[in-house]
Amino acid sequence: MSNTNCRPPTAGRIILLTAALVIGLATAGSAENPARDAVWRTIFARPAAVPEPAPSAAAQIALGHDLFHDARLSGNGTASCATCHEPERAFTDGRPKGQGMDGSILARNVPGLYDLASGKSFFWDGRAPTLTAQARFPILAEDEMAGDFPTILQRLDADAEMASRIAAAFPGAGGVTEDAILAALAAYVGSLASPATRFDRWIEGDDSALDEKERQGFALFVGKAGCVSCHGGWRFTDDGFHDIGLPGDDLGRDGRRQFKTPSLREAVHTAPYMHDGSLATMEDVVEHYTGRLIVRPSLAPTVVRNLTLSDDEKTALVAFLRTLSSENADHDPVKSVRQLVP
């Protein structure tokens, strides 16, 4: 996620980011720098834990969870949202590009779903302004779930238990409706928070949470390599759209080869990477930025040109990136989808 599409940061964040960039660039080769680390710990700190949702919100989230795994939302009753957004893969599917119900290859990589409650737009090209709008696209897309809401509403309304749950979760909404289904899905997806990792423990002040190599990688991330220019803040994304010098004919947002900056949270579990799934490993991503860029007029100004990293620096950078992921990304006990009974 060109800079013209980025959300303007607050004045306080500008001051912190400017100070941190100055410190980071001045100490780019140093893994140990308390002054720099103090600033970055402010910028990368997670927000305070949100309170438990009200009973009505909790009911909507639980309903959304079950609808997310319900194959009755697809045209032929064999696929659900979870078919492509697998919890054990941090809500991705492990393929370079998504796969349609008929086995066809879709246009882009399946993005992860963590921390989207703080997002500003959705899909690689940002075409959905809200999570509710986002939920509708794949359900109706002929090459994805190929559903239609008259049929979906009929199927769910025939299920007395499901109809009762929808009515209870959205009182006054008129029972089983398209709006209620989409709102429930949005509530569930919006509830998906990435787990805390060793990097978060380090941010909170535990200096032992990262080893020397990982701290060296962090110094590169916020300094010489310039990664922080797009992957800043606790979600490691600027919610903007950039051309990062990949090959291919996909023109992305507004036909300018710009694609949304993905979060780096849980990235260990979301390979392969980029909108086209063309980079299989984190090592491949680092190699892309250190000599494989396609330099063209639309290339994002935030991308460091002619970046050179030693093998040791590349190893350190990848080591740091791995600290942004938990050891186990499976935070959803539901492993199967609900099949439509003929």
Side-chain angles (χ1 to χ4, degrees):
M1 314 168 214
S2 128
N3 284 352
T4 55
N5 290 312
C6 297
R7 173 174 54 94
T10 63
R13 190 167 180 272
I14 289 174
I15 294 171
L16 283 171
L17 185 57
T18 301
L21 283 171
V22 171
I23 295 171
L25 291 172
T27 60
S30 172
E32 299 285 351
N33 189 291
R36 176 203 61 200
D37 292 347
V39 177
W40 288 120
R41 278 173 161 150
T42 300
I43 290 174
F44 284 102
R46 280 179 177 267
V50 297
E52 288 296 316
S56 58
Q60 292 171 7
I61 292 170
L63 173 63
H65 169 279
D66 289 353
L67 288 171
F68 188 87
H69 294 83
D70 197 324
R72 292 177 292 184
L73 272 60
S74 65
N76 64 10
T78 63
S80 74
C81 304
T83 301
C84 291
H85 295 282
E86 303 172 25
E88 59 269 25
R89 295 181 184 273
F91 297 93
T92 62
D93 69 349
R95 298 182 175 93
K97 295 181 180 179
Q99 182 172 300
M101 289 195 304
D102 61 357
S104 60
I105 304 302
L106 304 181
R108 293 172 183 162
N109 180 262
V110 174
L113 301 180
Y114 276 123
D115 304 322
L116 293 186
S118 301
K120 305 303 174 186
S121 61
F122 308 94
F123 292 107
W124 284 106
D125 55 14
R127 65 185 181 273
T130 65
L131 284 174
T132 303
Q134 183 279 327
R136 195 171 190 271
F137 279 96
I139 292 174
L140 299 182
E142 287 296 327
D143 57 352
E144 295 189 49
M145 295 174 70
D148 68 271
F149 273 100
T151 300
I152 293 168
L153 300 183
Q154 183 180 43
R155 290 171 177 172
L156 298 182
D157 198 38
D159 181 337
E161 179 185 358
M162 177 60 73
S164 176
R165 290 182 63 193
I166 293 174
F170 296 97
V176 180
T177 65
E178 177 179 338
D179 286 346
I181 291 168
L182 296 178
L185 288 169
Y188 170 62
V189 172
S191 75
L192 298 174
S194 61
T197 70
R198 288 194 295 114
F199 176 74
D200 295 301
R201 297 206 306 271
W202 181 81
I203 286 294
E204 292 169 357
D206 181 359
D207 289 330
S208 67
L210 301 185
D211 63 28
E212 183 177 358
K213 179 68 70 177
E214 291 160 348
R215 292 194 301 273
Q216 179 191 0
F218 178 64
L220 290 163
F221 184 91
V222 299
K224 177 181 177 180
C227 313
V228 72
S229 297
C230 295
H231 294 285
W234 73 273
R235 291 189 300 127
F236 288 85
T237 175
D238 61 2
D239 283 316
F241 300 84
H242 306 288
D243 176 358
I244 57 169
L246 288 166
D249 298 326
D250 191 337
L251 298 181
R253 185 179 178 87
D254 299 329
R256 293 183 289 180
R257 299 183 184 275
Q258 296 175 350
F259 297 91
K260 187 177 180 180
T261 304
S263 170
L264 300 181
R265 292 281 181 180
E266 297 301 291
V268 162
H269 309 290
T270 63
Y273 305 108
M274 306 304 185
H275 72 277
D276 58 359
S278 60
L279 303 181
T281 67
M282 289 185 176
E283 289 79 5
D284 290 338
V285 173
V286 173
E287 290 296 332
H288 168 72
Y289 286 107
T290 54
R292 297 181 183 175
L293 291 170
I294 296 177
V295 178
R296 52 193 171 223
S298 59
L299 184 66
T302 49
V303 174
V304 178
R305 273 70 166 169
N306 302 315
L307 175 63
T308 300
L309 298 176
S310 68
D311 288 345
D312 184 65
E313 288 175 322
K314 292 175 182 178
T315 299
L317 185 53
V318 170
F320 163 68
L321 292 173
R322 291 184 175 280
T323 72
L324 306 179
S325 298
S326 60
E327 294 182 3
N328 178 14
D330 187 4
H331 299 283
D332 190 317
V334 179
K335 297 298 181 69
S336 61
V337 298
R338 189 174 190 174
Q339 297 295 319
L340 177 64
V341 177

